[in-house]
Every structure is written in structure tokens, then in C-alpha cells.
Amino acid sequence: MSPTASTKDFRVAIIGGGMCGLACAVGLAKRGIASDVFEAAPKFDEVGAGVGIGPNALRALKGIGVLDAVLARLDRDDRTARRMLYLSGTGAHEEVYDYNNSSEFTDADTGLGMYRPAFLDALLPLMDPKTAHFNKRCTSIETLDTGDYRLHFADGTTHDAGLVIGADGIKSTSRNAVVGERKVLQFTNTVAYRGLVPRDTLLQDGLKSDLSQRVHNFVGIDKHIIVFPIQSGKIINIVAFSTDNSVPPGSVAVAGPWVQSVPQQELLDTYAGWGPDAQLLLKYMKTPSKWFIHTLTPLDTFVCGRIALVGDAAHGMTPHLGSGVGQGFEDVFVLCQLLGHPTTTKANLEEVLKAYDTIRQPRANMVLRESFRAGVIYESYGKLGYGLGEMGGHLARIWEPIWRHDLDGDVAAAIESLKER
Ligand SMILES: Cc1cc2nc3c(=O)[nH]c(=O)nc-3n(C[C@H](O)[C@H](O)[C@H](O)COP(=O)(O)OP(=O)(O)OC[C@H]3O[C@@H](n4cnc5c(N)ncnc54)[C@H](O)[C@@H]3O)c2cc1C
């Protein structure tokens, strides 16, 4: 349970109760640090879709102290190799590239695919309900003469805190307090159609690809479809991407909501001419949701004074390497370790947050850039793009720097340098 009294001489306000905000609240509570979570929605909620969690993200969850609770909510078989198999989207789905051939893998490179709401089911019992505040849309953060902060909410109320963690997602308001109101968010011209389909249904209708274990990526010009199993392979999570490359990224502003329900026909028309397994997957996405994929231009810093950004608020990125939330979990792990250190007090919080920034900003922005690059590669297979055998050279080892990074080492080095100061 999250403590309402703190072992520290400061109290934390977390803006946003998505996967990263909740992980932060529980991770801090495990270190005896009190926090309040202010969520704009009337309850904690997650989209009913799958999410891929890489090996680095699993290590971060372990370090935060929530991995066992998460694993307890999953089927045993969900812990599978996340290494992608690339197939051609059109024709007979010939193998384009097998990421398994890219490197020597060990058990430490294992990740998982999970149903997003299962994450909430795992974490909510670990939180003190008194610390969760709903219908609290933060509109601005005011710096007080004391150096503390006053959060202003849309309902006219306020809350004061010594440390603010902005976990309010890619459309973050708290980000304005860190980088100002300059334009840092852009539409990538890519939309993603998402859906879940029972694997049995696909098999009965003649699915040829074995989707029970690995992540599959059907690639083509301006389009790709990423597919992976969740719930022990009973359910197949589908994300079908399509990009308008006739205009540069960032040149179009999305006027309506960023997530819309669309008729299935739009999806079928988009992938007309694709191969049989691709068509089968789309055939059973009866009520697809369409997501307008945005990315941040990399921020120079994730902190200002005693305000720190985590998750998509800091580095909202394209989902092409399945690493967005994993980078958020790494943020939370590093922040929890630094804030929970015995020498951390209100007096040195700014130094501590600078250490957080030094570790996290370069690495998360590297993943952001690589994710964008991966999307461009995926959607360059076929006529006028890469031929068979060419794509692998661009994708080989693309995940290794993400999956195999020594974050414990980063934290230990940061603590040493803080001690010296
Ligand atoms: C199609 C798609 C597929 C993806 N697949 C993967 C994947 O396989 N693996 C992976 O690692 N990542 C994936 N991602 C990225 C991943 O979903 C995000 O990185 C992750 O959800 C971000 O979590 P967060 O907690 O930072 O933000 P969010 O999940 O956006 O949560 C932010 C919370 O803050 C609240 N909020 C917003 N504004 C305010 C405010 N002003 N005041 C108070 N509360 C506020 C919101 O209501 C919300 O609850 C994918 C993304 C997309 C779009």
C-alpha cells in the first residue's frame, strides 16, 4: 500500500495515472515516499489492446518492484521471445528477414506480450486508494516563493507539492512547465488500425502463418502490420499501419480526436491487394479503432527545477520498436532509485533530478529516433524499395542497444557522482 506519510521531507505529486504514472506511484511507495496521483479521467483506464514489453522493460519493472505482481496477472506462455519475423505483406508472405539471425540471444533477452488492462489489475491493489484523485485535469503548474509548486486543475482546485512528476502522456500539459509552450509534437502521417482477434477463428478460416509465439511484421510500401499473441496465444493483437508519404511528417495537423472508430471497409480498402494471411487478419477486425500516430521532436531536457517528466510526456515516440512504455518504465526505475536513496532530501532534489536527466534524456531520445527509423525501413519493402535480402542489413541488431543496456550501472554511477558533489 502506498504510504500516506513519507519517509522523506518532501511529498510528490504525479500528474497522470497511465501505466507510467501508476508504476511511479507504486515504486515510490515501495521506497517509503508518499505521492498523490492526479488523473484527468474519472477512473484509471487502459485501452483494450496488447502491449509488447521488451527485456529491458521487464528488468525496469523488476527494479521498480512490480514485476511479480504483473507476471501474476499473465498466462505463463505470455513470456515469449519478442524477436520479430518479417514477412512480405503482399504475395505469398515470403520471409523477408528473421531477427533471430541477427545475434546470439539468451534468456535475458526474453520479453512478453500482455493485455494492457492486466497491468492496471496488477498495480491498483498495490496503491492506497486515498492517494488517487480523479477528474483532476492539470491545467498549469505555478512555482511558489518557497520553491514548491502549485498545481491548478480544470475544476478550479489546486494542490501544493515539493516535487512534481509529469506522467500525463504525449499531449502532456506538465511538459509546458519544463520546455515552454513551443511546438514539440508532430503527426507522423501514419495511422494505425488496432484490433484483437481469437487465434482459433483465424486457424479455422485457414491462417497459414504460425502466430502462436513470435511477433510477426508483414511489410510493404507505405504500410506494415504488426501481429503478436497475448493471453497464451489465444488472442492475436493486430496493429496495421499506413502512412501518407506524399507530405512531410509534421506538415499536417490532426483536427479531430486522435483515436476514432472507423468502418471496417476503410481498413479493407487500405490493404487491398495484400496477401491471404493479411486479408484474414483484417477480415476479423470488425470494429477497428484508428490511431493518429504522433511523435515528439526530441526534448533537450526532461527536468526543470523540481519537475521531472516520465513516459510519453518526456519522449512520446512511434511504436515501431515496441519500446515506448518500456522507456517510460526505465524513467520510473531510475527516478525511484535516485529519489529513494538515503541521501536524497528536499535540499538536493534539483541535483538529483539533473542526474535523472543525464541518464534518461540521451537514451530515451535514442530510442525515439530509432523507432522512427524502423518505421521508415518497414514501409520500404517491395517495388521501388528494398528487395528480398536487403532489409535485414538495415534492421540487424536494431533492438540490442535497447534491450541490453545496463541501467543499474547508470544509476550506480549517478549515485557516485551525486555523493562526490
Ligand atoms: C498503436 C500503438 C501501439 C503501441 N505499442 C507499444 C508496445 O507494443 N510497446 C511499448 O512499449 N509501447 C507501445 N506503445 C506506446 C505506449 O502505449 C506508450 O508509450 C504508453 O502508453 C505511455 O504511457 P504513459 O503513462 O506515459 O502515458 P499515457 O498512457 O498516455 O497516460 C497518461 C495519463 O495521463 C492522463 N492525463 C493526460 N493529461 C492530463 C492532465 N492534464 N492532467 C491529469 N491527467 C492527465 C491521461 O488521462 C492518462 O491516464 C504503443 C502506442 C501506440 C499508439
Side-chain angles (χ1 to χ4, degrees):
M1 283 284 176
S2 177
T4 35
S6 191
T7 55
K8 297 286 183 186
D9 60 346
F10 57 89
R11 205 177 159 94
V12 181
I14 300 172
I15 306 175
M19 289 170 98
C20 296
L22 290 181
C24 206
V26 175
L28 291 176
K30 283 183 176 282
R31 289 154 178 86
I33 304 175
S35 70
D36 290 281
V37 180
F38 298 94
E39 167 56 48
K43 63 182 176 83
F44 296 128
D45 207 2
E46 260 302 325
V47 53
V51 62
I53 307 284
N56 60 309
L58 286 182
R59 285 195 300 277
L61 288 174
K62 186 170 186 201
I64 295 166
V66 298
L67 181 62
D68 288 343
V70 170
L71 293 181
R73 295 283 168 173
L74 301 182
D75 293 328
R76 206 176 158 275
D77 295 348
D78 286 337
R79 201 159 175 172
T80 57
R82 306 295 305 155
R83 302 187 285 276
M84 223 174 235
L85 181 63
Y86 297 82
L87 303 176
S88 133
T90 54
H93 302 310
E94 69 269 22
E95 185 176 309
V96 173
Y97 181 57
D98 183 348
Y99 196 76
N100 263 341
N101 299 334
S102 145
S103 187
E104 289 296 314
F105 291 105
T106 67
D107 283 353
D109 296 307
T110 299
L112 57 84
M114 73 183 285
Y115 187 53
R116 285 173 186 254
F119 188 82
L120 293 194
D121 294 343
L123 264 71
L124 290 184
L126 305 177
M127 269 189 80
D128 178 351
K130 289 198 288 294
T131 61
H133 311 277
F134 299 108
N135 297 307
K136 292 288 175 192
R137 177 169 295 281
C138 181
T139 50
S140 63
I141 303 173
E142 176 189 355
T143 310
L144 303 175
D145 292 342
T146 57
D148 283 356
Y149 297 97
R150 178 159 297 159
L151 310 186
H152 292 263
F153 299 104
D155 64 2
T157 59
T158 60
H159 175 87
D160 294 354
L163 172 70
V164 177
I165 297 177
D168 46 349
I170 195 162
K171 287 182 172 176
S172 171
T173 301
S174 57
R175 192 166 54 227
N176 295 343
V178 174
V179 298
E181 299 206 7
R182 66 197 168 89
K183 184 175 179 287
V184 290
L185 195 52
Q186 63 176 39
F187 176 47
T188 56
N189 299 335
T190 297
V191 295
Y193 301 91
R194 300 173 95 171
L196 299 173
V197 178
R199 192 163 62 92
D200 274 352
T201 307
L202 297 166
L203 291 174
Q204 280 155 19
D205 206 357
L207 181 81
K208 296 278 187 311
S209 310
D210 176 7
L211 304 180
S212 63
Q213 297 286 326
R214 295 186 63 184
V215 187
H216 282 60
N217 190 347
F218 296 88
V219 293
I221 293 291
D222 296 343
K223 295 177 189 33
H224 70 284
I225 305 178
I226 292 191
V227 181
F228 60 85
I230 58 172
Q231 298 177 352
S232 282
K234 289 192 282 289
I235 301 290
I236 300 299
N237 183 73
I238 307 166
V239 194
F241 295 88
S242 170
T243 305
D244 175 4
N245 280 310
S246 65
V247 282
S251 59
V252 176
V254 177
W258 290 8
V259 184
Q260 299 172 9
S261 295
V262 290
Q264 188 191 24
Q265 195 56 46
E266 176 178 323
L267 178 63
L268 300 178
D269 290 346
T270 303
Y271 294 88
W274 273 45
D277 278 1
Q279 295 294 343
L280 207 56
L281 292 163
L282 307 177
K283 174 178 167 186
Y284 289 100
M285 287 170 69
K286 298 282 184 204
T287 52
S289 60
K290 178 180 180 179
W291 294 61
F292 291 80
I293 304 297
H294 287 70
T295 184
L296 290 184
T297 46
L299 304 185
D300 299 335
T301 176
F302 296 170
V303 307
C304 177
R306 288 192 248 132
I307 305 174
L309 303 176
V310 299
D312 277 13
H315 44 69
M317 62 184 73
T318 57
H320 305 310
L321 292 177
S323 291
V325 83
Q327 284 306 295
F329 293 153
E330 288 194 5
D331 298 339
V332 172
F333 166 67
V334 171
L335 207 46
C336 285
Q337 290 296 88
L338 295 179
L339 292 176
H341 195 267
T343 58
T344 299
T345 64
K346 193 169 184 175
N348 61 11
L349 273 179
E350 290 197 19
E351 285 298 315
V352 168
L353 291 197
K354 277 183 199 155
Y356 163 76
D357 199 33
T358 303
I359 297 175
R360 292 303 307 145
Q361 186 267 15
R363 176 162 161 76
N365 282 336
M366 176 276 289
V367 180
L368 184 156
R369 290 189 184 94
E370 284 296 274
S371 295
F372 189 84
R373 188 170 76 89
V376 174
I377 298 170
Y378 298 167
E379 299 195 347
S380 302
Y381 177 75
K383 244 185 210 162
L384 308 177
Y386 300 132
L388 206 58
E390 281 182 321
M391 238 175 93
H394 298 273
L395 292 170
R397 306 182 71 85
I398 198 165
W399 268 285
E400 263 85 333
I402 304 174
W403 287 353
R404 294 188 172 172
H405 186 75
D406 177 14
L407 209 55
D408 286 321
D410 286 350
V411 172
I415 288 172
E416 277 313 306
S417 86
L418 280 169
K419 277 190 202 156
E420 280 163 25
R421 269 180 264 167

